[in-house]
Amino acid sequence: MRLLIVEDEKRLALSLAKGLMAEGFAVDVVHDGVDGLHRASEGRYDLVILDIMLPGMNGYRVCAALRAAGHDVPILMLTAKDGEYDEAEGLDTGADDYLTKPFSYVVLVARVKALLRRRGPAGGSPVHVVGNLKVDTAARRVFLGEDETVLTAKEFAVLEHLVVRAGDVVSKADILDHVWDFAYDGDPNIVEVYVSTLRRKLGAGLIKTVRGAGYRLEAR
Ligand code: CA
């Protein structure tokens, strides 16, 4: 599951991202409305957390533009305490839910999960099957044949990123960007560590190394 946070208060955005990543979500963060609209329009997110007062383009306009372009990604709006959020206007523009700042992190996570569930089977994350590997991205469970393989949140996120693009080459940088978030400035070789753990747990041959390009997940 990939989430996009569009929030110009950088400390808030980063702490939300950190918390949601600890829950096992892949999270990208942008700090202005124009970037937010651009990234959300790529259609690769399962949910967008959208602040209203943003530089570039406000949250209402971002939301309205996404809906006008036919994107049905769930949108959770964030609003300041002073009543800047007009519920009627927000719902008019197509937001699914809103939260008033300051909010408790626990409430945010509950709302995010509720929205992802509400999205239902039609738009929800599918179960991906590659050979004898089955990855249920909604239940966050992995099976090899009938046997369940237990993964950590991060291991799952790396596998999820590979399995939704099964058959394609996925670069290490792409995994870093989307699983760790694009502000990660640690050692890129962390990806190799996770891939080798996944190979140990899932068996060799499933995740292939494509020299100089990245990794490809395919049926053995
Ligand atoms: Ca703001």
Side-chain angles (χ1 to χ4, degrees):
M1 293 271 187
R2 284 185 70 195
L3 312 183
L4 177 67
I5 298 175
V6 188
E7 166 62 78
D8 58 318
E9 290 168 49
K10 294 191 177 166
R11 286 178 61 179
L12 173 63
L14 289 178
S15 78
L16 292 181
K18 242 183 179 171
L20 289 164
M21 285 188 281
E23 299 280 329
F25 295 106
V27 182
D28 290 338
V29 180
V30 292
H31 301 299
D32 82 73
V34 177
D35 284 350
L37 176 59
H38 180 73
R39 289 190 71 96
S41 298
E42 291 169 5
R44 297 164 72 194
Y45 294 98
D46 296 292
L47 183 133
V48 177
I49 297 173
L50 181 62
D51 189 31
I52 291 176
M53 298 301 285
L54 289 166
M57 189 176 190
N58 74 41
Y60 292 127
R61 289 182 54 211
V62 172
C63 186
L66 283 170
R67 295 303 187 233
H71 294 289
D72 63 352
V73 60
I75 295 175
L76 173 60
M77 281 201 163
L78 302 182
T79 171
K81 201 181 178 181
D82 58 12
E84 80 180 333
Y85 184 80
D86 179 326
E87 189 172 354
E89 190 175 357
L91 296 175
D92 267 0
T93 61
D96 296 278
D97 198 0
Y98 73 98
L99 261 185
T100 304
K101 295 175 189 174
F103 47 79
S104 108
Y105 177 71
V106 174
V107 170
L108 174 90
V109 173
R111 296 287 190 89
V112 164
K113 289 184 173 170
L115 280 175
L116 290 170
R117 268 197 306 274
R118 202 198 293 171
R119 198 178 179 197
S125 287
V127 173
H128 298 269
V129 178
V130 178
N132 70 340
L133 173 74
K134 187 172 93 178
V135 179
D136 183 335
T137 56
R140 313 192 72 72
R141 298 175 76 182
V142 177
F143 297 87
L144 274 179
E146 298 294 305
D147 300 323
E148 182 163 9
T149 301
V150 178
L151 301 180
T152 65
K154 211 56 137 184
E155 288 161 7
F156 184 89
V158 172
L159 178 65
E160 182 182 31
H161 197 68
L162 290 167
V163 83
V164 298
R165 291 165 187 76
D168 293 343
V169 178
V170 181
S171 73
K172 214 187 279 181
D174 192 53
I175 296 172
L176 257 191
D177 280 355
H178 296 109
V179 175
W180 273 265
D181 86 59
F182 53 58
Y184 178 81
D185 55 2
D187 185 352
N189 292 321
I190 186 88
V191 175
E192 285 169 27
V193 175
Y194 278 85
V195 167
S196 60
T197 305
L198 286 170
R199 282 175 173 151
R200 184 166 49 74
K201 290 190 174 184
L202 301 172
L206 192 62
I207 302 172
K208 280 147 183 110
T209 299
V210 181
R211 206 161 287 280
Y215 301 102
R216 181 172 59 226
L217 188 146
E218 60 189 17
R220 277 177 275 236

